[in-house]
Amino acid sequence: MSDKPFDLSERLEDFAAAIIILYNNKPSSFAGEYLAKQLIRSSCSSALNYGEALGAGTAKDKIHKLRICLKELSESLRNLNIQVKANILPENSLNTLRDENDQLIRIIVTRIKNSN
């Protein structure tokens, strides 16, 4: 994911796509299915809200959309952590996604700080 030239929009889209690909096979438990659906929603929402931030009409609206993006990325990371702790997916299969998720959070936080 992050070996490509830096393009935050593309990284967010790639992150969401990687989550979708991870769950192409339906999880076998209620908890796995519930968390998978929620993770797909939050990861896709972060990419979509970043797109909205790029087209924001005002600085205040841009910061608001970036904060939504940050909230969704934080939710995604929490979800991945829960899945590891609940042994829904093995930790080694999620390490790359968790690392990318953490990097994206750090980038969005920096964007928010620099927007003020």
Side-chain angles (χ1 to χ4, degrees), residues 59-73:
K60 183 177 178 180
D61 189 32
K62 179 179 181 178
I63 292 170
H64 173 70
K65 296 293 184 188
L66 287 172
R67 285 187 177 139
I68 293 171
C69 182
L70 177 60
K71 178 187 86 63
E72 296 294 343
L73 285 169

Side-chain angles (χ1 to χ4, degrees), residues 35-71:
L35 289 167
K37 288 178 179 179
Q38 186 60 38
L39 182 56
I40 290 169
R41 282 191 292 272
S42 62
S43 63
C44 289
S45 178
S46 64
L48 296 171
N49 276 289
Y50 185 73
E52 290 284 324
L54 293 178
T58 66
K60 183 177 178 180
D61 189 32
K62 179 179 181 178
I63 292 170
H64 173 70
K65 296 293 184 188
L66 287 172
R67 285 187 177 139
I68 293 171
C69 182
L70 177 60
K71 178 187 86 63

